[in-house]
Amino acid sequence: MFKAKFSDASIFKNCVDAINAIIDEGVFVINENGISLKAMDAARIAMVSLSISPDILEEFDTEGENDVGLDFKRLSTVVKRGRNNEALDLSFDSGSFLKLTFIGRYKRSFNIPILDIKRESLPVPTPNFTSLVEVDSFVVKDALKDAEIVSDNIVLIVDDDGFKMEAKSDTGRVSSVLEKNNELLSRIEMKDRAKSMFSLEYLKNMITPATGNVTIELGVDMPIKLSYSISGAEVIFFLAPRIEQD
């Protein structure tokens, strides 16, 4: 049994959007530490980790630990029904449904079936990243849209000049460059030059729910770690690189 209340339903909606970026089904783990999820996509090249602390919830109560398996496509459809200035109650009483209640000028409730999904034991990867940047998310979103004009991939680079996002193909080349002193680049750390190529589609889906700054950690032909906060909820993605062909 558990109950959680979000003062703003959009917080949970944005968390679901982040998860739904790479998985169709998954398991929320609810215990005294809050609500969490770790899952990999079907292709096993991307991982998402979500952590919602009780501290950001208006109310939170749980008996022991609960695993709640859900169809996130279905859940996403329901949470999109939330309206501005509505609160959201989540509750589960060991039955076969998760109950979502939107609380505004009146109450609206939805019951979503609990799926019998086994929780995966997924340790968080710890690659030896060589570079880190903290950058405004809209800059990255804009660069991804630019890159789509010429390619399905994007190359992210951190070097002495700053942070670069590049794409190229037979149809052309595009690039976005933030020099180290750019105000949109809040933080840059570099032990060594980093350069890796990634799927545009995956990165677009991962970063869409982000507002404000995102943190990107990189190496050479290594996975990317992309992390950001959703009103205090912590979202982390890992994505395997695509190796450039000479």
Side-chain angles (χ1 to χ4, degrees):
M1 185 280 293
F2 85 91
K3 182 177 180 180
K5 183 174 184 178
F6 293 83
S7 59
D8 184 344
S10 68
I11 298 173
F12 188 64
K13 173 194 173 296
N14 291 335
C15 289
V16 172
D17 285 346
I19 296 167
N20 199 33
I22 69 165
I23 66 170
D24 295 328
E25 297 179 347
V27 180
F28 277 130
V29 179
I30 297 99
N31 55 33
E32 62 183 8
N33 297 316
I35 303 170
S36 64
L37 176 143
K38 291 178 186 175
M40 294 192 73
D41 76 312
R44 312 297 286 184
I45 64 170
M47 175 179 173
V48 59
S49 174
L50 170 71
S51 179
I52 303 173
S53 167
D55 295 338
I56 72 168
L57 299 172
E58 188 171 314
E59 297 176 17
F60 182 73
D61 183 41
T62 183
E63 291 183 2
E65 185 166 87
N66 298 273
D67 285 7
V68 180
L70 295 168
D71 177 335
F72 279 94
K73 300 299 181 186
R74 185 188 300 267
L75 180 60
S76 178
T77 300
V78 171
V79 296
K80 282 180 169 61
R81 295 297 302 146
R83 301 183 180 123
N84 292 337
N85 303 317
E86 284 189 324
L88 173 65
D89 276 353
L90 300 180
S91 60
F92 170 66
D93 60 3
S94 300
S96 55
F97 292 92
L98 174 69
K99 184 177 182 180
L100 296 88
T101 302
F102 295 100
I103 306 166
R105 297 180 66 183
Y106 59 100
K107 291 184 179 181
R108 297 176 296 131
S109 295
F110 299 80
N111 291 315
I112 299 178
I114 303 296
L115 304 182
D116 184 15
I117 305 173
K118 184 178 180 181
R119 186 208 314 179
E120 286 190 272
S121 178
L122 294 172
V124 175
T126 56
N128 187 23
F129 296 113
T130 61
S131 298
L132 177 151
V133 295
E134 185 178 342
V135 60
D136 196 305
S137 60
F138 97 83
V139 177
V140 182
K141 292 176 184 180
D142 219 27
L144 296 178
K145 289 179 182 178
D146 290 344
E148 276 187 309
I149 296 172
V150 300
S151 181
D152 296 327
N153 304 313
I154 189 165
V155 178
L156 305 185
I157 301 168
V158 181
D159 60 19
D160 291 333
D161 295 327
F163 179 46
K164 304 173 184 177
M165 294 166 280
E166 301 177 348
K168 63 180 180 179
S169 69
D170 294 340
T171 61
R173 179 191 297 261
V174 300
S175 66
S176 300
V177 180
L178 284 82
E179 297 177 347
K180 288 184 177 181
N181 61 353
N182 192 299
E183 64 181 9
L184 297 172
L185 193 60
S186 302
R187 181 180 171 197
I188 183 166
E189 299 176 4
M190 187 182 73
K191 297 177 185 175
D192 204 351
R193 183 176 186 269
K195 180 181 179 183
S196 295
M197 181 170 67
F198 302 98
S199 160
L200 269 175
E201 182 179 5
Y202 271 90
L203 283 183
K204 276 186 60 182
N205 290 339
M206 290 173 174
I207 202 169
T208 294
T211 59
N213 285 356
V214 296
T215 300
I216 295 171
E217 296 178 66
L218 294 166
V220 175
D221 293 334
M222 290 174 59
I224 183 176
K225 179 181 179 181
L226 172 69
S227 55
Y228 52 88
S229 175
I230 298 175
S231 300
E234 297 301 322
V235 181
I236 301 172
F237 290 102
F238 292 90
L239 176 64
R242 290 183 170 178
I243 306 302
E244 291 188 85
Q245 301 297 320
D246 294 330

